[in-house]
């Protein structure tokens, strides 16, 4: 297997138009969740979400185009033959909203292939492309597929782009499911009462180490392992024993060639729903035993960015690996008993250089990535 | 790695079929046949009638392929993956759901419909129904290759994600509000197995994929689903 490295990463979140700005504000414990202004929230459980500031509809009338433009803005030149993996659960869903309200739209933009085309147009990537839809684990699975293709020698480079919007479509749905927190979400808190939605995008350029060195690209971190597995349990609720997440993490560790003892920190999915967070803590307990592995969730600050979550969190993990810091879990007051000693409302430090990043989604799908600090050769 | 086709099943406007029933596959045109739980599942399955049309179609295709491969019955969960390609995905459900939102400011938004506004939800249904714990995702490809999902399924095996994968495509007819002309209607799924010590007894033949986007089954070229299904059935099973 070839070594896979991440050579470039951008992220746009409610806390900033760059990875650096989002990272710095996360470390300060800031929260990007604010009252929603782009649609009327009167009939919904929640009134807040982590929207990207000043995100106006772009080309074709969707905010997604504007989000992609910002996300791809800071990306260096990408090899044209790169694989293209996109992770967006609902794409330009705001156009469907406009269409159902009687406004004129181009219906072809409702297809996911239109988002692929938009990204090709902006990046010049010509390699085969696919949008991966695995609900809130979409970006995690896309990163894993890209890494696997490079590791197996199918490709030398893969561009993974993820983006999802805060839309009334999704907001109303989570409200109807009673999954939204009426206030600000509080991942891993004993009193958590639901998630807060967010929007954002990330772009990550994966390469074989050989290709990166040949081109003089910076190595930001290593992508060592990836895994995905299903619960086969319930459509919208996680398996309480975390069986799918455990399988996904075990697979990622196997690919990375390390055991659970080798994990130094965790970027958890941590949505703030009662069942997700409990499932994750149960899975981590099964995987790591009594060892208190530092873990955090960014969703109290950035909201749940759906299919983009895994990509944004992988980009942030690069900064964690560089600094040895895990940002505060914003919203945390009294940790869920299973998370006590692992999760904190303050910045956490972790030693070593291996970070586990996990996500789970509707349909019972789970994804895991093992990322390693860049190392001098 | 050698990869074998061990099951094939479909639902199209031309009918419902399986390889081992020696049915002939074609996409056809017009309405999809009615999908009855009794015809597709030997066990009671009350949820089937409550699924949205996209999920019911996709789940039926997967059920037929697994049945054809002799993998529909199970005792313990199995690391079988699923890769399903679609163009329209759950667009019809999206429209139906959002119409429940628009009608009354969101107060009557349907939580049941919303759960099916992710294209991958039916993979979760299949995973629950058949005890499948392998990686599962829906793919939207832009290469214009009708058989693109085969490459993705093959890769799932080559990358070691799972030893068996169900792969295929699934699309309802475009909603009347979305005039897209060049979309095939129906679902067709294959069961692919990584070869171990030898050829699986259920094998229809060895599947290969070349870089130009053509598949071969035991050397017979297949550039369309019709050719692929015909090559499978001609190959035995």
């Amino acid at each position: 297997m070839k070594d896979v490295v991440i050579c470039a990463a951008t992220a746009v979140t409610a806390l900033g138009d760059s990875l650096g700005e989002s990272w710095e504000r996360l470390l300060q414990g800031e929260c990007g969740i604010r009252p929603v202004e782009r649609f009327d929230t009167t009939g919904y459980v929640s009134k807040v979400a982590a929207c990207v500031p000043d995100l106006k509809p772009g080309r074709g009338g969707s905010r997604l185009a504007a989000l992609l433009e910002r996300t791809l803005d800071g990306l260096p030149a990408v090899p044209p033959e790169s694989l293209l993996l996109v992770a967006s659960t609902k794409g330009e869903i705001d156009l469907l909203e406009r269409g159902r309200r009687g406004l004129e739209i181009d219906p072809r933009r409702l297809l996911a292939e239109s988002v692929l085309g938009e990204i090709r147009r902006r990046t010049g990537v010509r390699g085969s492309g696919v949008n991966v839809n695995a609900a809130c684990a979409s970006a995690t699975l896309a990163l894993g597929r890209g890494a696997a293709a490079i590791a197996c020698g199918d490709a030398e480079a893969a561009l993974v782009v993820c983006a999802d919007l805060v839309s009334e479509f999704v907001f109303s749905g989570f409200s109807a499911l009673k999954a939204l927190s009426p206030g600000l979400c509080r991942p891993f808190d004993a009193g958590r009462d639901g998630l807060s939605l967010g929007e954002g995008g990330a772009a990550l350029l994966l390469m074989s180490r050989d290709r990166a060195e040949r081109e003089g690209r910076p190595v930001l971190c290593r992508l060592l392992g990836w895994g995905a597995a299903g619960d086969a349990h319930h459509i919208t609720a996680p398996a309480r024993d975390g069986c799918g997440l455990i399988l996904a993490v075990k697979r990622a560790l196997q690919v990375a060639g390390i055991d659970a003892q080798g994990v130094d920190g965790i970027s958890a999915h941590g949505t703030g729903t009662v069942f997700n967070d409990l499932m994750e803590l149960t899975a981590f307990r099964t995987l790591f035993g009594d060892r208190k592995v530092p873990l955090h969730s960014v969703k109290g600050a950035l909201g749940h960015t759906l299919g983009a979550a895994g990509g944004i969190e992988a980009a942030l993990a690069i900064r964690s690996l560089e600094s040895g810091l895990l940002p505060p879990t914003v919203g945390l007051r009294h940790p869920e008993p299973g998370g006590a000693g692992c999760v904190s409302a303050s910045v956490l430090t972790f030693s070593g250089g291996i970070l586990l990043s996990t996500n789970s989604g509707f349909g019972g799908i789970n994804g895991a990535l093992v990322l390693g600090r860049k190392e001098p050769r | 790695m050698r990869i074998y086709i061990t099951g094939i099943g479909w639902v199209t406007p031309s009918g419902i079929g399986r390889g081992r029933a020696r049915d002939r596959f074609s996409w056809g045109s017009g309405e999809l046949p009615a999908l009855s739980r009794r015809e597709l599942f030997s066990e009671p399955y009350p949820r089937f009638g409550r699924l949205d049309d996209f999920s019911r179609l996709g789940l039926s295709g997967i059920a037929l392929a697994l049945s054809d491969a002799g993998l529909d019955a199970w005792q313990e969960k199995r690391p079988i993956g699923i890769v399903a390609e679609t163009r329209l995905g759950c667009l019809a459900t999206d429209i139906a759901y959002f119409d429940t939102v628009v009608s009354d400011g969101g107060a009557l938004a349907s939580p049941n419909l919303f759960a099916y506004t992710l294209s991958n939800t039916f993979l979760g249904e299949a995973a629950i129904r058949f005890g499948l714990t392998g990686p599962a995702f829906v793919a939207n490809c832009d290469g214009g290759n009708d058989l693109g999902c085969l490459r993705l399924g093959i890769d799932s095996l080559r990358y070691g994600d799972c030893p068996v994968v169900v792969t295929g495509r699934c699309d309802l007819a475009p909603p009347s509000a979305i005039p897209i002309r060049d979309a095939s209607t129906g679902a067709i799924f294959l069961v692919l197995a990584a070869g171990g010590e030898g050829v699986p007894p259920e094998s229809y033949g060895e599947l290969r994929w070349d870089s130009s986007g053509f598949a071969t089954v035991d050397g017979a070229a297949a550039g369309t689903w019709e050719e692929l299904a015909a090559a499978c059935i001609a190959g035995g099973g």
Side-chain angles (χ1 to χ4, degrees), chain A residues 231-258:
Chain A
D231 292 340
H233 169 73
H234 193 275
I235 290 305
T236 56
R240 293 194 182 201
D241 62 0
C243 56
L245 181 57
I246 291 168
L247 285 173
V249 172
K250 283 184 172 176
R251 171 68 184 155
L253 293 172
Q254 180 193 20
V255 172
I258 62 174

Side-chain angles (χ1 to χ4, degrees), chain B residues 131-213:
Chain B
L132 315 179
T133 61
F137 65 94
V138 162
N140 313 108
C141 300
D142 71 346
N145 187 330
D146 205 32
L147 298 175
C149 62
L150 285 186
R151 172 64 193 264
L152 297 171
I154 290 168
D155 285 347
S156 289
L157 301 177
R158 290 177 54 242
Y159 298 160
D161 292 344
C162 46
V164 177
V165 65
V166 186
T167 187
R169 61 170 305 159
C170 175
D171 265 308
L172 293 171
S176 56
I178 313 292
I180 293 166
R181 286 186 289 274
D182 51 345
S184 304
T185 300
I188 179 166
F189 283 90
L190 302 179
V191 179
L192 307 182
E197 297 299 309
V199 179
E202 308 83 5
S203 172
Y204 283 110
E206 183 181 354
L207 176 66
R208 292 196 178 187
W209 180 264
D210 70 30
S211 54
S212 59

Side-chain angles (χ1 to χ4, degrees), chain A residues 90 113 120 145 154 172 231, chain B residues 77 87 97 117 142 156:
Chain A
K90 296 310 298 177
E113 63 198 39
R120 285 191 189 286
R145 293 291 287 200
D154 288 352
S172 62
D231 292 340
Chain B
K77 293 179 184 177
R87 283 192 77 201
Y97 166 72
T117 61
D142 71 346
S156 289

Side-chain angles (χ1 to χ4, degrees), chain A residues 104-120:
Chain A
E104 192 168 332
I105 60 165
D106 175 359
R108 286 198 169 261
R109 294 192 72 101
L110 299 178
L111 306 185
E113 63 198 39
S114 140
V115 177
L116 282 159
E118 182 77 20
I119 294 169
R120 285 191 189 286

